[in-house]
Amino acid sequence: MTNDEIFNKVKDILVDQFDLEDDEVKLSTNLSDDIDADSLDLFEVLNRVEDDFDIQLAVAEDIATVQDLVDKIAEQEKAAK
């Protein structure tokens, strides 16, 4: 899966989870500052990402932006091959 495909899937999750418009989610979007996601929100997003991508993410302390999340998913998918 390409990074663009990963981003689009992540964007769909965030749009659904936070009732956002598509254009509100960019790679540079900060999950806590721009979307007001708290730790519980982030936990729910990560659970959904794990389910949708069939991966396991380690502790998410270093995931601040959508780009960070896309990179983590790409890294996990690459490691699974």
Side-chain angles (χ1 to χ4, degrees), residues 41-71:
D41 292 326
L42 188 54
F43 177 77
E44 290 172 355
V45 166
L46 293 179
N47 277 340
R48 187 152 166 207
V49 163
E50 288 180 338
D51 290 344
D52 287 5
F53 287 92
D54 195 27
I55 59 172
Q56 292 292 315
L57 293 172
V59 177
E61 294 171 354
D62 55 345
I63 297 176
T65 66
V66 173
Q67 180 70 62
D68 295 338
L69 184 53
V70 169
D71 291 344

Side-chain angles (χ1 to χ4, degrees), residues 1 4 8-10 15 19 22 26-30 34 41 43-45 54 57 61-62 64-65 67 69-71 77:
M1 185 175 282
D4 283 342
N8 286 328
K9 212 166 173 180
V10 167
V15 164
D19 197 29
D22 273 357
K26 298 175 178 41
L27 287 171
S28 61
T29 300
N30 185 291
D34 299 329
D41 292 326
F43 177 77
E44 290 172 355
V45 166
D54 195 27
L57 293 172
E61 294 171 354
D62 55 345
T65 66
Q67 180 70 62
L69 184 53
V70 169
D71 291 344
E77 285 197 332

